[in-house]
Amino acid sequence: MRGIKLAEHPVHLGLGAGADSEPQFTGDMSWYEGYSARHTDDGPDGRLVSLHSFSESWGMWEMHPLGAEVVVCTSGSMTLIQQNTDGSVLSTHLAQGEYAINAPGVWHTADVAEHATALFITAGMGTEHRPRDKQ
């Protein structure tokens, strides 16, 4: 038996210490909508665990209103940019093995100079997105 690739099939951590393998990740918003529908009963306590690789900076901001998100850089490096609720901006450089936490309600994006892979543990319910060119 072979293991499951996290980059292809994220994991949902749910109530009662449950863990469910998710369908093939497509990257489009319909995948996230399906995820939310499958796990709505877990409310804000559910967590999505995913692994993504990037070769360029993110083209959007995102924000998780109902819970914190942990971002762990597993290879390469990236700069996490957080826009706090008071409007202040914090840039945190993450190298391999380092992490940062996006607090609930904090808009965030990332700059990637060459390549980075990161593990995300996300309170995904209610996640919002906006284009990066908007501050």
Coordinates of all heavy atoms in Angstrom, one line a residue, residues 67-133:
G67 N -10.9 31.6 12.5 CA -9.8 30.9 13.2 C -8.5 31.2 12.6 O -8.3 31.7 11.5
A68 N -7.5 30.8 13.4 CA -6.1 31.0 13.0 C -5.6 30.0 11.9 O -6.2 28.9 11.8 CB -5.2 30.9 14.2
E69 N -4.6 30.4 11.2 CA -4.0 29.5 10.2 C -2.5 29.4 10.5 O -1.8 30.4 10.7 CB -4.2 30.1 8.8 CG -3.5 29.3 7.7 CD -3.6 29.9 6.3 OE1 -3.3 31.1 6.1 OE2 -4.1 29.1 5.4
V70 N -2.0 28.2 10.5 CA -0.5 28.0 10.6 C 0.1 27.7 9.2 O -0.5 26.9 8.5 CB -0.3 26.8 11.5 CG1 1.2 26.5 11.6 CG2 -0.9 27.0 12.9
V71 N 1.1 28.4 8.9 CA 1.9 28.3 7.7 C 3.3 27.8 8.0 O 4.0 28.6 8.6 CB 1.9 29.6 6.9 CG1 2.6 29.5 5.6 CG2 0.5 30.2 6.6
V72 N 3.6 26.6 7.5 CA 5.0 26.1 7.7 C 5.7 26.0 6.4 O 5.2 25.2 5.5 CB 4.9 24.7 8.4 CG1 6.3 24.1 8.7 CG2 4.0 24.7 9.6
C73 N 6.8 26.6 6.3 CA 7.6 26.5 5.0 C 8.4 25.2 5.1 O 9.2 25.0 6.1 CB 8.5 27.7 4.9 SG 9.5 27.7 3.4
T74 N 8.2 24.3 4.2 CA 8.8 23.0 4.2 C 10.0 22.9 3.3 O 10.9 22.0 3.4 CB 7.9 21.8 3.9 OG1 7.3 22.0 2.6 CG2 6.7 21.8 5.0
S75 N 10.1 23.8 2.3 CA 11.3 23.9 1.4 C 11.3 25.3 0.8 O 10.2 25.9 0.6 CB 11.3 22.8 0.4 OG 10.3 23.0 -0.6
G76 N 12.5 25.7 0.4 CA 12.6 27.0 -0.2 C 12.4 28.1 0.8 O 12.6 27.9 2.0
S77 N 11.9 29.2 0.3 CA 11.6 30.3 1.3 C 10.5 31.2 0.7 O 10.3 31.2 -0.5 CB 12.9 31.2 1.5 OG 13.3 31.8 0.4
M78 N 9.9 31.9 1.6 CA 8.8 32.8 1.2 C 8.7 33.9 2.2 O 9.2 33.8 3.3 CB 7.5 32.0 1.1 CG 7.0 31.4 2.4 SD 5.7 30.1 2.2 CE 4.3 31.1 1.8
T79 N 8.0 35.0 1.8 CA 7.8 36.1 2.7 C 6.3 36.2 2.8 O 5.6 36.5 1.9 CB 8.4 37.4 2.2 OG1 9.8 37.3 2.0 CG2 8.1 38.6 3.1
L80 N 5.8 36.0 4.0 CA 4.4 36.1 4.3 C 4.1 37.6 4.7 O 4.8 38.1 5.5 CB 4.0 35.2 5.5 CG 2.6 35.1 5.9 CD1 1.7 34.5 4.8 CD2 2.4 34.4 7.2
I81 N 3.1 38.1 4.1 CA 2.7 39.5 4.3 C 1.3 39.5 4.9 O 0.4 39.0 4.4 CB 2.7 40.3 3.0 CG1 4.1 40.2 2.3 CG2 2.3 41.8 3.2 CD1 4.1 40.6 0.9
Q82 N 1.2 40.1 6.1 CA 0.0 40.2 6.8 C -0.5 41.6 7.0 O 0.3 42.5 7.4 CB 0.2 39.6 8.2 CG 0.6 38.1 8.2 CD 1.0 37.6 9.6 OE1 1.7 38.3 10.3 NE2 0.6 36.4 9.9
Q83 N -1.7 41.9 6.7 CA -2.3 43.2 6.9 C -3.3 43.0 8.1 O -4.3 42.4 8.0 CB -3.1 43.7 5.7 CG -3.6 45.1 5.8 CD -4.4 45.5 4.6 OE1 -5.2 44.8 4.1 NE2 -4.1 46.7 4.1
N84 N -2.9 43.6 9.2 CA -3.6 43.5 10.4 C -4.9 44.3 10.4 O -5.0 45.2 9.6 CB -2.8 43.9 11.6 CG -1.6 42.9 11.8 OD1 -1.8 41.7 11.9 ND2 -0.4 43.4 11.7
T85 N -5.8 44.1 11.3 CA -7.1 44.7 11.3 C -6.9 46.2 11.6 O -7.8 47.0 11.2 CB -8.0 44.1 12.4 OG1 -7.3 44.1 13.7 CG2 -8.4 42.7 12.0
D86 N -5.8 46.7 12.2 CA -5.6 48.1 12.4 C -4.9 48.8 11.1 O -4.6 49.9 11.2 CB -4.7 48.4 13.6 CG -3.3 47.8 13.5 OD1 -2.9 47.3 12.4 OD2 -2.6 47.9 14.5
G87 N -4.7 48.0 10.1 CA -4.1 48.5 8.8 C -2.6 48.4 8.8 O -2.0 48.6 7.7
S88 N -1.9 48.0 9.9 CA -0.5 47.8 9.8 C -0.1 46.6 9.0 O -0.9 45.6 8.9 CB 0.1 47.7 11.3 OG -0.4 46.6 11.9
V89 N 1.0 46.6 8.4 CA 1.5 45.5 7.6 C 2.8 44.9 8.2 O 3.7 45.6 8.6 CB 1.8 45.9 6.2 CG1 2.3 44.8 5.3 CG2 0.5 46.5 5.5
L90 N 2.8 43.6 8.3 CA 3.9 42.8 8.8 C 4.4 41.9 7.8 O 3.7 41.1 7.3 CB 3.5 42.1 10.1 CG 4.6 41.2 10.8 CD1 5.8 42.0 11.3 CD2 4.0 40.4 11.9
S91 N 5.7 41.9 7.5 CA 6.3 40.9 6.6 C 7.2 40.0 7.4 O 8.1 40.4 8.1 CB 7.2 41.6 5.5 OG 6.3 42.4 4.7
T92 N 7.0 38.7 7.2 CA 7.8 37.7 7.9 C 8.4 36.7 6.9 O 7.7 36.0 6.1 CB 6.9 36.9 8.8 OG1 6.2 37.8 9.7 CG2 7.7 35.9 9.6
H93 N 9.8 36.7 6.9 CA 10.5 35.8 6.0 C 10.5 34.4 6.6 O 10.8 34.2 7.8 CB 11.9 36.2 5.7 CG 12.6 35.4 4.8 ND1 12.5 35.4 3.4 CD2 13.5 34.4 5.0 CE1 13.2 34.5 2.9 NE2 13.9 33.8 3.8
L94 N 10.0 33.4 5.8 CA 10.0 32.0 6.3 C 11.0 31.2 5.5 O 10.9 31.1 4.2 CB 8.6 31.4 6.1 CG 7.5 32.1 6.9 CD1 6.1 31.4 6.6 CD2 7.8 32.0 8.4
A95 N 11.9 30.5 6.1 CA 12.8 29.6 5.5 C 12.4 28.2 5.9 O 11.4 28.0 6.7 CB 14.3 29.8 6.0
Q96 N 13.0 27.2 5.3 CA 12.6 25.8 5.5 C 12.6 25.5 7.0 O 13.5 25.9 7.8 CB 13.6 24.9 4.8 CG 13.3 23.4 5.0 CD 14.2 22.5 4.3 OE1 14.9 22.9 3.4 NE2 14.2 21.2 4.6
G97 N 11.5 24.9 7.5 CA 11.3 24.6 8.9 C 10.8 25.7 9.8 O 10.5 25.5 10.9
E98 N 10.5 26.9 9.2 CA 10.0 28.0 10.0 C 8.5 28.1 9.7 O 8.0 27.8 8.7 CB 10.7 29.3 9.7 CG 12.2 29.2 10.0 CD 12.9 30.5 9.7 OE1 12.6 31.2 8.7 OE2 14.0 30.7 10.3
Y99 N 7.8 28.7 10.7 CA 6.3 28.9 10.5 C 5.9 30.3 11.0 O 6.6 31.0 11.7 CB 5.6 27.8 11.3 CG 5.5 27.9 12.8 CD1 4.5 28.6 13.4 CD2 6.5 27.3 13.6 CE1 4.5 28.7 14.8 CE2 6.5 27.4 14.9 CZ 5.5 28.1 15.6 OH 5.4 28.2 16.9
A100 N 4.7 30.6 10.6 CA 4.1 31.9 11.1 C 2.6 31.5 11.3 O 2.1 30.5 10.7 CB 4.2 33.0 10.1
I101 N 1.9 32.4 12.0 CA 0.5 32.2 12.3 C -0.3 33.4 11.8 O 0.1 34.5 12.1 CB 0.2 32.0 13.8 CG1 0.9 30.7 14.3 CG2 -1.3 31.9 14.1 CD1 0.9 30.5 15.8
N102 N -1.3 33.1 11.0 CA -2.2 34.2 10.5 C -3.4 34.2 11.5 O -4.1 33.2 11.6 CB -2.7 33.9 9.1 CG -1.6 34.0 8.1 OD1 -0.9 35.0 8.1 ND2 -1.6 33.0 7.2
A103 N -3.5 35.2 12.3 CA -4.6 35.3 13.3 C -5.9 35.5 12.5 O -6.0 35.9 11.4 CB -4.3 36.5 14.2
P104 N -7.0 35.1 13.2 CA -8.3 35.3 12.6 C -8.5 36.8 12.2 O -8.2 37.7 12.9 CB -9.3 34.9 13.7 CG -8.5 34.1 14.6 CD -7.1 34.6 14.6
G105 N -9.1 36.9 11.0 CA -9.4 38.3 10.5 C -8.2 39.0 9.8 O -8.4 40.1 9.3
V106 N -7.0 38.4 9.8 CA -5.9 39.1 9.2 C -5.7 38.7 7.7 O -5.7 37.5 7.4 CB -4.6 38.7 10.0 CG1 -3.3 39.2 9.2 CG2 -4.6 39.2 11.4
W107 N -5.8 39.7 6.9 CA -5.6 39.5 5.4 C -4.1 39.1 5.2 O -3.2 39.7 5.9 CB -5.9 40.7 4.6 CG -7.4 40.9 4.5 CD1 -8.2 41.7 5.3 CD2 -8.3 40.3 3.6 NE1 -9.5 41.6 4.9 CE2 -9.6 40.8 3.8 CE3 -8.1 39.4 2.5 CZ2 -10.7 40.4 3.1 CZ3 -9.2 39.0 1.8 CH2 -10.4 39.5 2.0
H108 N -3.8 38.2 4.4 CA -2.4 37.7 4.1 C -2.2 37.3 2.7 O -3.1 36.9 2.0 CB -2.0 36.6 5.1 CG -3.0 35.5 5.1 ND1 -4.1 35.5 5.8 CD2 -2.9 34.3 4.5 CE1 -4.8 34.3 5.6 NE2 -4.0 33.6 4.8
T109 N -1.0 37.4 2.3 CA -0.5 37.0 1.0 C 0.9 36.6 1.1 O 1.5 36.6 2.2 CB -0.7 38.1 -0.1 OG1 -0.5 37.6 -1.4 CG2 0.2 39.3 0.2
A110 N 1.6 36.2 0.0 CA 3.0 35.8 0.1 C 3.8 36.2 -1.1 O 3.2 36.2 -2.2 CB 3.1 34.3 0.4
D111 N 5.0 36.6 -0.9 CA 6.0 36.8 -2.0 C 6.9 35.6 -2.1 O 7.4 35.1 -1.0 CB 6.8 38.0 -1.8 CG 6.0 39.3 -2.1 OD1 5.0 39.2 -2.8 OD2 6.4 40.4 -1.5
V112 N 7.1 35.1 -3.3 CA 8.0 33.9 -3.5 C 9.0 34.3 -4.6 O 8.6 34.6 -5.7 CB 7.2 32.7 -3.9 CG1 8.2 31.5 -4.2 CG2 6.2 32.3 -2.8
A113 N 10.3 34.4 -4.2 CA 11.3 34.8 -5.2 C 11.7 33.7 -6.2 O 11.8 33.9 -7.4 CB 12.6 35.2 -4.5
E114 N 11.8 32.5 -5.7 CA 12.2 31.3 -6.6 C 11.2 30.2 -6.4 O 10.5 29.9 -7.3 CB 13.6 30.9 -6.2 CG 14.7 31.9 -6.6 CD 16.1 31.4 -6.4 OE1 16.3 30.2 -6.3 OE2 17.0 32.3 -6.3
H115 N 11.3 29.5 -5.3 CA 10.4 28.4 -5.1 C 10.2 28.2 -3.6 O 11.1 28.4 -2.8 CB 11.0 27.1 -5.6 CG 10.1 25.9 -5.4 ND1 9.0 25.6 -6.1 CD2 10.2 24.9 -4.4 CE1 8.5 24.5 -5.6 NE2 9.2 24.1 -4.6
A116 N 8.9 27.8 -3.2 CA 8.6 27.5 -1.9 C 7.5 26.4 -1.8 O 6.6 26.4 -2.7 CB 8.2 28.7 -1.1
T117 N 7.6 25.6 -0.8 CA 6.5 24.6 -0.5 C 6.1 24.9 0.9 O 7.0 25.1 1.8 CB 7.0 23.2 -0.7 OG1 7.3 23.0 -2.1 CG2 5.8 22.2 -0.4
A118 N 4.8 24.9 1.2 CA 4.4 25.2 2.5 C 3.2 24.3 2.9 O 2.4 23.9 2.1 CB 3.9 26.7 2.7
L119 N 3.2 24.0 4.2 CA 2.1 23.2 4.8 C 1.2 24.2 5.5 O 1.7 25.1 6.2 CB 2.7 22.2 5.8 CG 1.7 21.5 6.7 CD1 1.1 20.3 5.9 CD2 2.3 21.0 7.9
F120 N -0.1 24.1 5.2 CA -1.1 25.0 5.8 C -2.1 24.2 6.6 O -2.6 23.2 6.2 CB -1.9 25.7 4.6 CG -1.1 26.5 3.7 CD1 -0.4 26.0 2.7 CD2 -1.0 27.9 4.0 CE1 0.4 26.7 1.8 CE2 -0.2 28.7 3.1 CZ 0.5 28.1 2.1
I121 N -2.3 24.7 7.8 CA -3.4 24.2 8.7 C -4.4 25.3 8.9 O -4.0 26.3 9.6 CB -2.8 23.7 10.0 CG1 -1.7 22.7 9.8 CG2 -3.9 23.1 10.9 CD1 -0.9 22.3 11.0
T122 N -5.5 25.2 8.3 CA -6.4 26.4 8.1 C -7.8 26.1 8.6 O -8.4 25.1 8.4 CB -6.5 26.6 6.5 OG1 -5.3 26.7 5.9 CG2 -7.3 27.9 6.3
A123 N -8.2 27.2 9.3 CA -9.6 27.2 9.7 C -10.4 27.9 8.5 O -10.4 29.1 8.4 CB -9.8 28.1 11.0
G124 N -10.8 27.0 7.6 CA -11.3 27.5 6.3 C -12.7 28.1 6.2 O -13.0 28.8 5.3
M125 N -13.5 27.8 7.2 CA -14.9 28.2 7.1 C -15.0 29.8 7.0 O -14.4 30.5 7.8 CB -15.7 27.8 8.2 CG -17.2 28.2 8.1 SD -18.2 27.4 9.4 CE -18.4 25.8 8.7
G126 N -15.7 30.3 6.0 CA -15.8 31.7 5.8 C -14.7 32.4 5.2 O -14.6 33.7 5.1
T127 N -13.7 31.7 4.7 CA -12.5 32.3 4.0 C -12.9 33.3 2.9 O -13.8 33.0 2.1 CB -11.6 31.2 3.5 OG1 -11.0 30.5 4.5 CG2 -10.4 31.8 2.7
E128 N -12.3 34.4 2.9 CA -12.5 35.4 1.9 C -11.2 35.7 1.1 O -10.1 35.5 1.6 CB -13.0 36.7 2.5 CG -14.3 36.6 3.3 CD -14.6 37.9 4.0 OE1 -14.3 39.0 3.5 OE2 -15.3 37.9 5.0
H129 N -11.4 36.1 -0.2 CA -10.3 36.4 -1.1 C -10.5 37.8 -1.7 O -11.7 38.2 -1.9 CB -10.2 35.4 -2.2 CG -9.9 34.0 -1.7 ND1 -10.8 33.1 -1.3 CD2 -8.7 33.4 -1.4 CE1 -10.3 32.0 -0.9 NE2 -8.9 32.1 -1.0
R130 N -9.5 38.4 -2.1 CA -9.5 39.7 -2.8 C -8.3 39.8 -3.7 O -7.2 39.2 -3.3 CB -9.7 40.9 -1.9 CG -8.4 41.2 -1.1 CD -8.6 42.4 -0.2 NE -7.4 42.8 0.4 CZ -7.2 43.4 1.5 NH1 -8.2 43.8 2.2 NH2 -6.0 43.8 1.9
P131 N -8.4 40.5 -4.8 CA -7.2 40.7 -5.6 C -6.0 41.3 -4.9 O -6.3 42.2 -4.0 CB -7.7 41.5 -6.8 CG -9.2 41.4 -6.8 CD -9.6 41.2 -5.3
R132 N -4.9 41.0 -5.3 CA -3.7 41.5 -4.6 C -3.5 43.0 -4.8 O -3.0 43.7 -3.9 CB -2.4 40.7 -5.0 CG -1.1 41.3 -4.4 CD -0.5 40.2 -3.6 NE 0.7 40.7 -3.0 CZ 1.9 40.1 -2.9 NH1 2.0 39.0 -3.5 NH2 2.9 40.7 -2.2
D133 N -3.9 43.5 -5.9 CA -3.7 44.9 -6.2 C -4.5 45.8 -5.3 O -4.2 47.0 -5.2 CB -4.0 45.3 -7.6 CG -5.3 44.9 -8.1 OD1 -6.3 45.5 -7.7 OD2 -5.4 43.9 -8.9

